[in-house]
Amino acid sequence: MTKKLATLNLKGKSDSTIAKETKAAKNTVREDADKIDTANAAITAAKTKIDTADDYLNKANGYADQNAAYNDLENQIEAQQRALSATKSSSKKKSIDDKIKSLTKQKAAVAATMKKIADSAGYTKEMTAKIKAEANIKTEKKKISDLTSKKSKDSATEKALAKENAKRKAAATKAQQKANLKSIKDKVAAYKKKKPDSYGSLFERDY
């Protein structure tokens, strides 16, 4: 699917300004991509901490089953959140929102059970580390969502500026070529005007 170019008001802006804005827009898109990469790296690091904590927590009796239930509820909530973002129907939004609230309540209850199991087994430190890592993942995912939206808009702006910049460069090149051709023609005409006609000179010498 072809992305639409952003509609920008570029009237009155000089060629040099357009060139500078094009370069700046390109840098902005690159910065957006770098920030998304950084957020993804943070999520990967947080997942590693969760895996490390789970290596201990899964030793606690009953924890593994509760953890599986927690992950399943988390996946269901994320699926419902995607559905909420996609729908435009008010009635469907309310229905989905109610499901999210119900699933979130269930997840909180499972999380409380997991914490009790971890505390009883002496893994409070590991559970705290896991909770912190999960919070970090949630923050980074929100950041990625916002940055992805920003990057899409910034990319549209960059493409529009790049198109205008290329258009102006082409026009400037064409104008320069036209000016060069006129200059050459003028020089040739001037040269011909100064140079005496060879046949006329011979005629004058013979008669």
mmCIF file of all heavy atoms in Angstrom, residues 47-60 63 67 71 114 126-127 130 134:
data_model
loop_
_atom_site.group_PDB
_atom_site.id
_atom_site.type_symbol
_atom_site.label_atom_id
_atom_site.label_comp_id
_atom_site.label_asym_id
_atom_site.label_seq_id
_atom_site.Cartn_x
_atom_site.Cartn_y
_atom_site.Cartn_z
ATOM 1 N N LYS A 47 12.758 -8.904 29.620
ATOM 2 C CA LYS A 47 12.309 -10.298 29.475
ATOM 3 C C LYS A 47 13.359 -11.268 30.017
ATOM 4 O O LYS A 47 13.023 -12.305 30.585
ATOM 5 C CB LYS A 47 12.017 -10.602 28.009
ATOM 6 C CG LYS A 47 10.708 -10.007 27.513
ATOM 7 C CD LYS A 47 10.455 -10.362 26.057
ATOM 8 C CE LYS A 47 9.105 -9.816 25.597
ATOM 9 N NZ LYS A 47 8.847 -10.129 24.173
ATOM 10 N N THR A 48 14.617 -10.914 29.835
ATOM 11 C CA THR A 48 15.699 -11.737 30.361
ATOM 12 C C THR A 48 15.643 -11.774 31.889
ATOM 13 O O THR A 48 15.841 -12.824 32.516
ATOM 14 C CB THR A 48 17.076 -11.180 29.913
ATOM 15 O OG1 THR A 48 17.146 -11.215 28.488
ATOM 16 C CG2 THR A 48 18.215 -12.004 30.486
ATOM 17 N N LYS A 49 15.344 -10.624 32.492
ATOM 18 C CA LYS A 49 15.218 -10.551 33.961
ATOM 19 C C LYS A 49 14.032 -11.382 34.449
ATOM 20 O O LYS A 49 14.112 -12.021 35.509
ATOM 21 C CB LYS A 49 15.054 -9.090 34.395
ATOM 22 C CG LYS A 49 16.319 -8.259 34.233
ATOM 23 C CD LYS A 49 16.104 -6.829 34.704
ATOM 24 C CE LYS A 49 17.389 -6.020 34.544
ATOM 25 N NZ LYS A 49 17.206 -4.606 34.962
ATOM 26 N N ILE A 50 12.958 -11.355 33.668
ATOM 27 C CA ILE A 50 11.776 -12.144 34.026
ATOM 28 C C ILE A 50 12.089 -13.638 33.959
ATOM 29 O O ILE A 50 11.707 -14.415 34.854
ATOM 30 C CB ILE A 50 10.596 -11.800 33.092
ATOM 31 C CG1 ILE A 50 10.077 -10.389 33.396
ATOM 32 C CG2 ILE A 50 9.458 -12.817 33.253
ATOM 33 C CD1 ILE A 50 9.044 -9.889 32.414
ATOM 34 N N ASP A 51 12.790 -14.036 32.910
ATOM 35 C CA ASP A 51 13.173 -15.446 32.763
ATOM 36 C C ASP A 51 14.062 -15.898 33.924
ATOM 37 O O ASP A 51 13.910 -17.016 34.438
ATOM 38 C CB ASP A 51 13.905 -15.662 31.433
ATOM 39 C CG ASP A 51 12.984 -15.537 30.224
ATOM 40 O OD1 ASP A 51 11.759 -15.633 30.410
ATOM 41 O OD2 ASP A 51 13.505 -15.320 29.109
ATOM 42 N N THR A 52 14.981 -14.999 34.310
ATOM 43 C CA THR A 52 15.887 -15.317 35.428
ATOM 44 C C THR A 52 15.097 -15.489 36.726
ATOM 45 O O THR A 52 15.342 -16.425 37.504
ATOM 46 C CB THR A 52 16.939 -14.205 35.608
ATOM 47 O OG1 THR A 52 17.699 -14.083 34.404
ATOM 48 C CG2 THR A 52 17.865 -14.513 36.777
ATOM 49 N N ALA A 53 14.140 -14.575 36.940
ATOM 50 C CA ALA A 53 13.309 -14.656 38.152
ATOM 51 C C ALA A 53 12.454 -15.914 38.140
ATOM 52 O O ALA A 53 12.300 -16.592 39.165
ATOM 53 C CB ALA A 53 12.415 -13.414 38.241
ATOM 54 N N ASP A 54 11.918 -16.246 36.963
ATOM 55 C CA ASP A 54 11.052 -17.431 36.854
ATOM 56 C C ASP A 54 11.805 -18.734 37.099
ATOM 57 O O ASP A 54 11.207 -19.732 37.527
ATOM 58 C CB ASP A 54 10.386 -17.476 35.472
ATOM 59 C CG ASP A 54 9.155 -16.571 35.387
ATOM 60 O OD1 ASP A 54 8.621 -16.215 36.458
ATOM 61 O OD2 ASP A 54 8.730 -16.242 34.263
ATOM 62 N N ASP A 55 13.108 -18.724 36.804
ATOM 63 C CA ASP A 55 13.914 -19.918 37.083
ATOM 64 C C ASP A 55 13.838 -20.285 38.568
ATOM 65 O O ASP A 55 13.839 -21.472 38.933
ATOM 66 C CB ASP A 55 15.377 -19.687 36.691
ATOM 67 C CG ASP A 55 15.584 -19.703 35.183
ATOM 68 O OD1 ASP A 55 14.696 -20.234 34.474
ATOM 69 O OD2 ASP A 55 16.606 -19.166 34.720
ATOM 70 N N TYR A 56 13.775 -19.267 39.409
ATOM 71 C CA TYR A 56 13.638 -19.497 40.855
ATOM 72 C C TYR A 56 12.181 -19.700 41.249
ATOM 73 O O TYR A 56 11.845 -20.633 41.984
ATOM 74 C CB TYR A 56 14.194 -18.304 41.641
ATOM 75 C CG TYR A 56 15.691 -18.165 41.562
ATOM 76 C CD1 TYR A 56 16.279 -17.350 40.600
ATOM 77 C CD2 TYR A 56 16.519 -18.831 42.458
ATOM 78 C CE1 TYR A 56 17.663 -17.214 40.522
ATOM 79 C CE2 TYR A 56 17.906 -18.705 42.392
ATOM 80 C CZ TYR A 56 18.467 -17.891 41.414
ATOM 81 O OH TYR A 56 19.840 -17.770 41.345
ATOM 82 N N LEU A 57 11.320 -18.820 40.753
ATOM 83 C CA LEU A 57 9.910 -18.836 41.151
ATOM 84 C C LEU A 57 9.186 -20.128 40.767
ATOM 85 O O LEU A 57 8.290 -20.584 41.486
ATOM 86 C CB LEU A 57 9.192 -17.638 40.533
ATOM 87 C CG LEU A 57 9.638 -16.273 41.057
ATOM 88 C CD1 LEU A 57 9.125 -15.150 40.161
ATOM 89 C CD2 LEU A 57 9.147 -16.064 42.483
ATOM 90 N N ASN A 58 9.568 -20.725 39.653
ATOM 91 C CA ASN A 58 8.913 -21.962 39.213
ATOM 92 C C ASN A 58 9.187 -23.136 40.148
ATOM 93 O O ASN A 58 8.514 -24.178 40.069
ATOM 94 C CB ASN A 58 9.361 -22.330 37.791
ATOM 95 C CG ASN A 58 8.679 -21.477 36.743
ATOM 96 O OD1 ASN A 58 7.537 -21.068 36.898
ATOM 97 N ND2 ASN A 58 9.381 -21.196 35.649
ATOM 98 N N LYS A 59 10.178 -22.965 41.041
ATOM 99 C CA LYS A 59 10.472 -24.005 42.034
ATOM 100 C C LYS A 59 9.423 -24.019 43.145
ATOM 101 O O LYS A 59 9.261 -25.028 43.848
ATOM 102 C CB LYS A 59 11.857 -23.773 42.637
ATOM 103 C CG LYS A 59 12.999 -23.894 41.632
ATOM 104 C CD LYS A 59 14.329 -23.526 42.278
ATOM 105 C CE LYS A 59 15.467 -23.541 41.269
ATOM 106 N NZ LYS A 59 16.760 -23.124 41.872
ATOM 107 N N ALA A 60 8.738 -22.879 43.283
ATOM 108 C CA ALA A 60 7.708 -22.774 44.323
ATOM 109 C C ALA A 60 6.465 -23.544 43.906
ATOM 110 O O ALA A 60 6.005 -23.438 42.766
ATOM 111 C CB ALA A 60 7.367 -21.305 44.574
ATOM 112 N N TYR A 63 3.302 -22.216 41.660
ATOM 113 C CA TYR A 63 3.621 -20.962 40.949
ATOM 114 C C TYR A 63 3.502 -21.100 39.433
ATOM 115 O O TYR A 63 2.952 -20.219 38.766
ATOM 116 C CB TYR A 63 5.031 -20.481 41.307
ATOM 117 C CG TYR A 63 5.405 -19.208 40.576
ATOM 118 C CD1 TYR A 63 5.055 -17.963 41.096
ATOM 119 C CD2 TYR A 63 6.069 -19.250 39.345
ATOM 120 C CE1 TYR A 63 5.365 -16.794 40.416
ATOM 121 C CE2 TYR A 63 6.381 -18.090 38.658
ATOM 122 C CZ TYR A 63 6.026 -16.870 39.195
ATOM 123 O OH TYR A 63 6.322 -15.717 38.506
ATOM 124 N N ASN A 67 1.406 -18.738 36.976
ATOM 125 C CA ASN A 67 2.146 -17.933 36.005
ATOM 126 C C ASN A 67 1.587 -18.139 34.600
ATOM 127 O O ASN A 67 1.450 -17.187 33.824
ATOM 128 C CB ASN A 67 3.632 -18.311 36.046
ATOM 129 C CG ASN A 67 4.486 -17.374 35.206
ATOM 130 O OD1 ASN A 67 4.283 -16.168 35.195
ATOM 131 N ND2 ASN A 67 5.451 -17.935 34.498
ATOM 132 N N ASN A 71 -0.074 -15.231 32.269
ATOM 133 C CA ASN A 71 0.357 -14.940 30.894
ATOM 134 C C ASN A 71 -0.785 -15.044 29.908
ATOM 135 O O ASN A 71 -0.883 -14.246 28.959
ATOM 136 C CB ASN A 71 1.491 -15.888 30.481
ATOM 137 C CG ASN A 71 2.783 -15.597 31.227
ATOM 138 O OD1 ASN A 71 2.998 -14.486 31.700
ATOM 139 N ND2 ASN A 71 3.633 -16.608 31.354
ATOM 140 N N MET A 114 0.169 -15.282 43.037
ATOM 141 C CA MET A 114 1.577 -15.537 42.688
ATOM 142 C C MET A 114 2.516 -14.921 43.727
ATOM 143 O O MET A 114 3.516 -15.533 44.116
ATOM 144 C CB MET A 114 1.886 -14.970 41.298
ATOM 145 C CG MET A 114 1.213 -15.719 40.161
ATOM 146 S SD MET A 114 1.289 -14.799 38.596
ATOM 147 C CE MET A 114 3.043 -14.829 38.246
ATOM 148 N N GLU A 126 12.982 -12.145 44.017
ATOM 149 C CA GLU A 126 12.807 -12.509 42.611
ATOM 150 C C GLU A 126 11.460 -12.028 42.077
ATOM 151 O O GLU A 126 11.358 -11.567 40.932
ATOM 152 C CB GLU A 126 12.928 -14.029 42.443
ATOM 153 C CG GLU A 126 14.339 -14.581 42.590
ATOM 154 C CD GLU A 126 14.823 -14.624 44.037
ATOM 155 O OE1 GLU A 126 13.974 -14.504 44.941
ATOM 156 O OE2 GLU A 126 16.033 -14.778 44.250
ATOM 157 N N MET A 127 10.435 -12.127 42.929
ATOM 158 C CA MET A 127 9.104 -11.681 42.508
ATOM 159 C C MET A 127 9.079 -10.171 42.305
ATOM 160 O O MET A 127 8.474 -9.665 41.358
ATOM 161 C CB MET A 127 8.063 -12.078 43.571
ATOM 162 C CG MET A 127 6.626 -11.910 43.100
ATOM 163 S SD MET A 127 6.228 -13.068 41.769
ATOM 164 C CE MET A 127 4.871 -12.215 40.985
ATOM 165 N N LYS A 130 10.713 -9.369 39.062
ATOM 166 C CA LYS A 130 9.842 -9.704 37.931
ATOM 167 C C LYS A 130 8.761 -8.644 37.740
ATOM 168 O O LYS A 130 8.491 -8.218 36.616
ATOM 169 C CB LYS A 130 9.192 -11.068 38.159
ATOM 170 C CG LYS A 130 8.247 -11.460 37.033
ATOM 171 C CD LYS A 130 7.681 -12.844 37.201
ATOM 172 C CE LYS A 130 6.743 -13.156 36.043
ATOM 173 N NZ LYS A 130 6.212 -14.541 36.104
ATOM 174 N N GLU A 134 8.231 -6.375 34.418
ATOM 175 C CA GLU A 134 6.953 -6.366 33.690
ATOM 176 C C GLU A 134 6.430 -4.937 33.528
ATOM 177 O O GLU A 134 5.875 -4.590 32.470
ATOM 178 C CB GLU A 134 5.926 -7.228 34.423
ATOM 179 C CG GLU A 134 6.186 -8.716 34.275
ATOM 180 C CD GLU A 134 5.221 -9.571 35.071
ATOM 181 O OE1 GLU A 134 4.625 -9.054 36.044
ATOM 182 O OE2 GLU A 134 5.066 -10.754 34.735
#
